[in-house]
Amino acid sequence: MIILAIDSSSKVATVALMKNHKLLGEITLNDKKEHSVILMNIIDNLLKLNNLTIDDIDGYVVSKGPGSFTGLRIGMATIKGLSFGSNKPYVSISSLDALALSASNFDGIICPIMDALRNSVYTSLYKGHPSLVASEIPVTLERLLDFSALDIDELIEIIKSKNEKVIFIGDGVDKYKDYLIEHCPNCYFPPNHLNLVRASALGEIGYSLIENGEFDDPNSTPFYLKKPQAEREYEQRMK
């Protein structure tokens, strides 16, 4: 089985191809180009590099959020179009789950943080557990905190209450690393390249779901956790 996975939930555009749990290739761009301009070109280039066409794809994986409102809509619309056009299934996975998987061997709390602006982050908390089944993902994730949009100080207080070592991962690390080191004892950080959401991590989770016949409803939508800034500003003016 061959699947194509994409994530456009942040300024990163990332696409991966996987076959039988093996990564065939991945292209990740970390810049500010519009995803609507580059995403299909990345998909086409990755398929050509692997001597494949869209007809060879058996299923799709896409980020459902949280993250950029525009980026999420572009990613979901792209995958829905490919899925419906080929009559192949798709699944949507949280970018936070994908980030946590990249740090899943850490023997403490895993805390992905994605910058949500205004001194807040999109986040969740996880523990990684090694799998004893060879056909499954080597490490499964236990979610300790539901997907949340939290003020960074609120998150730090939650972390402190756990009284465990914690690893922070995600694009929020670049913005808050010094502050976290100062205010959050016993914290760790991964190599910088792991702070980018990877389509390969998203695909690894989604591959197992597709393999088990767990598909998204065609009407599934992204989740944002926060209202769009324009809507928040409008509500503020109307108070």
Side-chain angles (χ1 to χ4, degrees), residues 196-235:
L196 302 182
V197 178
R198 297 285 181 175
S200 52
L202 204 75
E204 190 165 354
I205 299 172
Y207 194 105
S208 294
L209 293 176
I210 293 175
E211 199 171 41
N212 293 331
E214 301 177 42
F215 311 140
D216 264 43
D217 181 282
N219 297 316
S220 65
T221 58
F223 70 91
Y224 303 111
L225 292 183
K226 294 175 67 174
K227 295 179 180 179
Q229 183 175 347
E231 185 176 340
R232 296 197 304 270
E233 291 176 351
Y234 174 79
E235 291 177 349

Side-chain angles (χ1 to χ4, degrees), residues 91-184:
V91 295
S92 58
I93 308 294
S94 171
S95 303
L96 295 171
D97 288 349
L99 282 168
L101 185 66
S102 295
S104 56
N105 286 317
F106 183 74
D107 60 343
I109 292 175
I110 305 160
C111 182
I113 51 174
M114 298 176 66
D115 185 21
L117 305 178
R118 301 191 177 209
N119 209 44
S120 64
V121 292
Y122 299 121
T123 189
S124 185
L125 300 178
Y126 301 82
K127 278 289 190 70
H129 299 286
S131 173
L132 300 178
V133 182
S135 61
E136 295 181 353
I137 295 174
V139 178
T140 57
L141 296 168
E142 175 191 1
R143 191 178 299 119
L144 307 178
L145 174 71
D146 200 7
F147 305 128
S148 305
L150 298 176
D151 181 270
I152 190 66
D153 289 314
E154 185 179 0
L155 174 61
I156 288 172
E157 290 305 310
I158 293 173
I159 292 292
K160 287 181 177 179
S161 71
K162 300 293 183 182
N163 198 29
E164 291 189 58
K165 61 182 179 180
V166 57
I167 187 168
F168 292 98
I169 184 170
D171 63 13
V173 168
D174 185 54
K175 184 173 183 179
Y176 294 107
K177 184 175 183 178
D178 291 341
Y179 191 80
L180 290 168
I181 291 172
E182 181 181 356
H183 293 90
C184 191

Side-chain angles (χ1 to χ4, degrees), residues 43-44 54 77 84 112 155 199 231:
I43 292 172
D44 288 340
I54 205 68
F84 296 166
L155 174 61
E231 185 176 340

